[in-house]
Amino acid sequence: MRSHQPLWFHVDMDAFYAAIEQRDNPDLRGKPVIIGAMPGSRGVVSTCSYEARTFGVHSAMPISQAYRLCPDGTYIRPRMEHYSRESAKIMEEFYDFSPRIIQVSIDEAFIEMTGTGGIFGPPEQAAMKLKNRIRERIGLTITVGAAANRLVAKMASAYQKPDGLTIVPPGTEEEFIRKLELKDLWGVGRKSRQRLEELNIRTVDQLIKIPKDTLGTLFGRAGGEYLYQVCRGIDPGIYDGQIKSHSISNEHTFGIDCKDSQAVEDTLFALAHGIVFRLHRENAQSRTLVLKLRLGDFSTSTIQKSLDHPIRTVEECFDLALELLKSKWDRRNPIRLIGLGFSNVEGTEKVQQGELFDDPEDRRSKVEAAVLELQKKYGDLPISKGRKFIRGTDPDGDGR
DNA sequence: TCTGGGGTCCTAGGACCC
DNA sequence: TCTGGGGTCCTAGGACCC
């Protein structure tokens, strides 16, 4: 069997949420469409159409600012379920081109095209077939980057958008990357760029000249190694599917900063409910709970606690969350955002059945499994009801 | 400008054990 | 009495990505 030159495509859907809304509603085509929070509320732009971008609007921009720049735009709340279904349809199409798909977000995926030349032709041809397929069957445009590894394919897809195609032939990686700005390097954000600028490094050319040891001293061992590789087009192994740990979290930003303990606790309960039920749904478990607080001045802190056993019930999770809240919040400081999450989430294979017996928490856990079944049947119960419901079925009858 | 919500990965310090 | 190195786990914070 002959060996093949590795070939990866990175596919990015163009202005995905906005493009779906424009496809579904012809009145919106050719117009600025902004998906995200509603003007007047706290929140940001999630995605916007290319027409909106000509006004200077972009992702992650505060919605208030977007509204000032583009008051006549159409503002739409995201319809995530709809977008997820469209995303799944697109992924299905990708499987006709290769069995190796790595979906990295709702609107992005890697496709390994190594050895498919005999079927789809050279990279240009294969990419055009893929783009045509998605346009014809889904009605959306995509941008494709092609290279010998995922890191360069990813940066190639960002090079020309929308409806773009950039191919970086093997051996020309460094030449391609030299055309980019530092901010275009994947994994180099605002802070790293600032630090590089302090050192008078403003271009990729300048970065390539810095010895690996020096980068290590400046950015830490892992950070230095990463920078050394990324500017040379060497893939350190991004998205290799090796997920070491996993976390599940929910957070909520109050419309107005909140110092009403009852309101804060109610929100905390809803968050606990959300993450515990997701844990059950994923058949997973965790011993570590993380509470996140963001105050009125936007300062953010977290506090976490690990137990010697998995947290399995909403009650246990909520009680622990309250304990963390009490230790971190002095009640005079209004809260902007409160978040709750599990970290170090693992699959439940490791649970020893024996230790579940005679455990009072286990009965609660079973009650919650039953509630989960009901929710599957009848849809999500309102959270406020959920709190009463679960407390009302308290198997210990101790009123907690 | 006035900043969502969901994540992953890394660092550094401290506790504890051998 | 003062001293070391390594490993593992936990915690808090921060950079970055979509």
Side-chain angles (χ1 to χ4, degrees):
Chain A
M1 182 160 168
R2 61 183 259 256
S3 65
H4 295 280
Q5 170 67 38
L7 176 63
W8 283 92
F9 281 3
H10 178 258
V11 181
D12 208 298
M13 273 73 113
D14 300 321
F16 190 50
Y17 305 166
I20 291 174
E21 299 295 346
Q22 288 180 317
R23 181 201 65 183
D24 293 352
N25 180 357
D27 291 347
L28 297 177
R29 293 180 196 165
K31 292 184 182 161
V33 174
I34 294 114
I35 315 295
M38 280 294 126
S41 71
R42 282 175 163 178
V44 297
V45 175
S46 184
T47 319
C48 62
S49 67
Y50 279 85
E51 294 83 2
R53 294 181 198 199
T54 63
F55 291 84
V57 179
H58 58 78
S59 296
M61 172 183 274
I63 204 73
S64 52
Q65 193 187 352
Y67 189 71
R68 271 194 299 278
L69 292 169
C70 188
D72 297 325
T74 303
Y75 289 79
I76 300 173
R77 296 283 300 159
R79 296 188 291 153
M80 295 310 297
E81 295 80 13
H82 183 43
Y83 309 150
S84 292
R85 281 192 300 271
E86 293 303 305
S87 174
K89 283 187 208 164
I90 292 167
M91 296 301 146
E92 278 305 304
E93 299 295 338
F94 291 169
Y95 278 106
D96 281 351
F97 286 77
S98 164
R100 259 209 92 191
I101 310 291
I102 304 175
Q103 182 170 8
V104 296
S105 74
I106 193 167
D107 66 343
E108 251 185 87
F110 290 100
I111 307 177
E112 182 171 11
M113 296 294 286
T114 308
T116 64
I119 309 167
F120 301 110
E124 297 86 329
Q125 255 181 50
M128 286 314 295
K129 281 179 183 156
L130 186 69
K131 283 159 67 72
N132 290 335
R133 169 75 79 93
I134 303 303
R135 186 183 299 111
E136 285 157 15
R137 296 212 183 164
I138 311 286
L140 297 175
T141 65
I142 60 173
T143 291
V144 179
N149 65 51
R150 290 189 295 274
L151 176 78
V152 178
K154 168 101 177 123
M155 295 193 288
S157 74
Y159 189 63
Q160 246 197 346
K161 297 172 124 178
D163 204 9
L165 171 58
T166 301
I167 292 164
V168 180
T172 68
E173 287 85 1
E174 207 175 296
E175 185 189 327
F176 167 70
I177 291 167
R178 280 171 191 268
K179 293 191 282 192
L180 305 180
E181 295 178 48
L182 285 179
K183 70 169 170 52
D184 301 325
L185 298 184
W186 195 81
V188 178
R190 201 168 47 87
K191 293 284 179 180
S192 306
R193 226 170 53 245
Q194 263 174 22
R195 291 211 50 200
L196 286 167
E197 273 181 24
E198 283 163 21
L199 303 160
N200 256 319
I201 300 165
R202 295 190 159 73
T203 67
V204 174
D205 271 332
Q206 291 168 332
L207 179 58
I208 287 181
K209 295 197 181 97
I210 313 294
K212 195 192 280 195
D213 289 351
T214 312
L215 289 174
T217 314
L218 296 169
F219 292 91
R221 200 183 44 77
E225 180 72 30
Y226 179 80
L227 279 177
Y228 183 85
Q229 294 186 329
V230 74
C231 65
R232 287 167 174 75
I234 303 165
D235 189 343
I238 64 168
Y239 299 113
D240 59 5
Q242 307 282 317
I243 296 166
K244 287 174 202 126
S245 70
H246 172 49
S247 63
I248 288 176
S249 68
N250 271 184
E251 55 190 59
H252 175 73
T253 295
F254 294 102
I256 298 163
D257 298 347
C258 180
K259 57 178 177 181
D260 170 3
S261 326
Q262 192 57 52
V264 170
E265 286 180 19
D266 286 351
T267 304
L268 202 55
F269 186 85
L271 296 171
H273 182 277
I275 60 173
V276 168
F277 276 71
R278 234 183 91 199
L279 204 61
H280 286 204
R281 234 179 287 136
E282 293 186 14
N283 273 322
Q285 63 179 23
S286 167
R287 297 185 297 116
T288 309
L289 189 70
V290 186
L291 177 81
K292 174 174 167 181
L293 286 182
R294 175 169 289 156
L295 303 179
D297 62 1
F298 217 72
S299 62
T300 307
S301 61
T302 62
I303 179 167
Q304 69 185 66
K305 189 167 179 182
S306 298
L307 302 183
D308 59 4
H309 62 274
I311 301 159
R312 286 198 299 273
T313 67
V314 175
E315 288 290 332
E316 194 180 16
C317 175
F318 180 56
D319 288 345
L320 184 56
L322 278 181
E323 188 188 319
L324 294 176
L325 178 69
K326 276 179 191 134
S327 71
K328 197 77 181 178
W329 183 44
D330 71 2
R331 289 173 178 242
R332 286 190 304 272
N333 245 328
I335 294 175
R336 180 188 179 94
L337 169 151
I338 186 161
L340 196 61
F342 290 117
S343 72
N344 299 317
V345 175
E346 307 169 319
T348 36
E349 309 86 64
K350 288 183 185 168
V351 179
Q352 291 146 22
Q353 284 302 321
E355 73 181 30
L356 288 178
F357 291 115
D358 301 323
D359 178 351
E361 288 294 338
D362 186 39
R363 278 177 285 161
R364 287 210 184 97
S365 188
K366 279 178 182 149
V367 168
E368 279 160 24
V371 174
L372 184 61
E373 280 307 305
L374 287 174
Q375 288 192 329
K376 274 185 191 157
K377 263 188 199 159
Y378 303 110
D380 257 10
L381 300 166
I383 294 300
S384 57
K385 253 191 187 168
R387 183 168 182 173
K388 271 192 203 128
F389 186 37
I390 289 164
R391 303 205 139 204
T393 52
D394 174 12
D396 290 336
D398 60 5
R400 288 179 66 235

